[in-house]
Amino acid sequence: MTTPSDQLASSTGAPSAAALRIQRLAEEPLVSAGPERGFFKGTLKSVRDLSAYRELLGLLVRRELKAKYKDSTLGFLWTLIRPLTILVVYYVAIGKFLGAERSIPDFAIYIFTGLIAWQLFLEIVSGGTGSVVGNAGLIKKVYLPREVFPLSVVGGAVFTLATQFLVLAVALVVTGSVPTGSRLLFVPLALAVLLVYGTALALVLSAVNVYLRDVQYLVEIGLTVFFWLSPIVYSWELVQTAVTNETVQQVYLANPVTAAVLAMQRGLWVGGTDASFPPDLVPRLFIMLGIGLVLLWLAQRAFARLEANFAQEI
């Protein structure tokens, strides 16, 4: 439908308002849809974009938490029921039936400490892998930094961690095994390692999953293997007894999740104060954290390279 001004412009031979708008748009410089070139410039641009959308990130975290327990009667109590159920199963099956509690003091605290660390890593990686595909509708409609989707999963996982820590704190007080002193410094260091490696994996896997949907199934298998490769339901002393080869032990300890779980136990498991832990656990964790930060940076740049075609592939 033409406006009176367009009809007048047509009768006089002058360009119409619509034609002028199209001409101005055509004269605008082209803007690349891909990531900013250069590792440093691209990283700074991504950080600025995420900072500009930090309120949206907060909204996505809240939506992630609400959607997880939508129409649920118990709501956020499920964040506690699941790990507690796993704790009871492992405590009865491995602690009682297989007799592990005879060699591991405060076996329930030992298992729950490891489960808290593992659940954080599990929720970030498994939830982050499907985060981009799960928000396909939003990605197709508006522009926003796609990193907010896996990062919203990280925020939800941290909230779940906080609620589980409350349960652990109550258990420590009830059993009279409250940790004190410098040993508590192991806890933030372990959590930092889990967050960095979990976020790096979530970024890469969420991007690759857009192009290759089999990734989410491979992740499930991989996480199962990672669980049993970490001393959560068995002790590090048992690993030393079963595997006497020093090289194999070092390969086992090269797993960041293993080192983080051991650090959590070292910091919170008072009953294992006299238990054996790797003597180089602290420097090992700092080295892993440094390597993990580099991997996180590389993961973000890989995500930025792959995100240009998300809307077309989803």
Side-chain angles (χ1 to χ4, degrees), residues 182-199:
S182 59
R183 66 185 303 155
L184 289 173
L185 297 177
F186 280 94
V187 177
L189 189 54
L191 295 179
V193 170
L194 291 171
L195 285 171
V196 167
Y197 280 90
T199 305

Side-chain angles (χ1 to χ4, degrees), residues 157-310:
V158 171
F159 176 84
T160 302
L161 173 74
T163 59
Q164 293 173 353
F165 254 116
L166 290 176
V167 176
L168 178 60
V170 172
L172 291 173
V173 171
V174 170
T175 58
S177 304
V178 180
T180 57
S182 59
R183 66 185 303 155
L184 289 173
L185 297 177
F186 280 94
V187 177
L189 189 54
L191 295 179
V193 170
L194 291 171
L195 285 171
V196 167
Y197 280 90
T199 305
L201 282 172
L203 285 171
V204 171
L205 293 172
S206 64
V208 176
N209 189 50
V210 173
Y211 300 91
L212 185 62
R213 301 300 170 87
D214 289 341
V215 167
Q216 56 190 336
Y217 305 110
L218 293 173
V219 167
E220 293 178 5
I221 297 173
L223 288 172
T224 302
V225 174
F226 262 73
F227 175 82
W228 291 104
L229 286 178
S230 301
I232 299 172
V233 296
Y234 57 86
S235 67
W236 163 242
E237 292 177 331
L238 180 62
V239 176
Q240 289 179 301
T241 303
V243 182
T244 57
N245 187 287
E246 182 68 22
T247 302
V248 177
Q249 289 183 10
Q250 292 304 313
V251 171
Y252 177 85
L253 290 172
N255 177 5
V257 179
T258 295
V261 168
L262 286 171
M264 288 284 288
Q265 293 166 350
R266 181 69 181 85
L268 298 173
W269 179 42
V270 177
T273 301
D274 298 328
S276 173
F277 286 95
D280 59 344
L281 187 56
V282 172
R284 185 183 293 274
L285 286 168
F286 276 110
I287 292 172
M288 285 182 171
L289 183 58
I291 295 173
L293 289 172
V294 174
L295 292 177
L296 178 59
W297 180 30
L298 295 176
Q300 192 281 323
R301 299 317 302 150
F303 184 97
R305 286 287 179 184
L306 294 171
E307 71 172 331
N309 295 322
F310 279 179

Side-chain angles (χ1 to χ4, degrees), residues 101-123:
E101 67 172 350
R102 290 194 293 269
S103 59
I104 301 178
D106 291 344
F107 188 66
I109 299 295
Y110 175 84
I111 285 188
F112 197 56
T113 301
L115 283 176
I116 285 178
W118 172 252
Q119 286 293 327
L120 174 65
F121 184 79
L122 172 69
E123 191 169 339

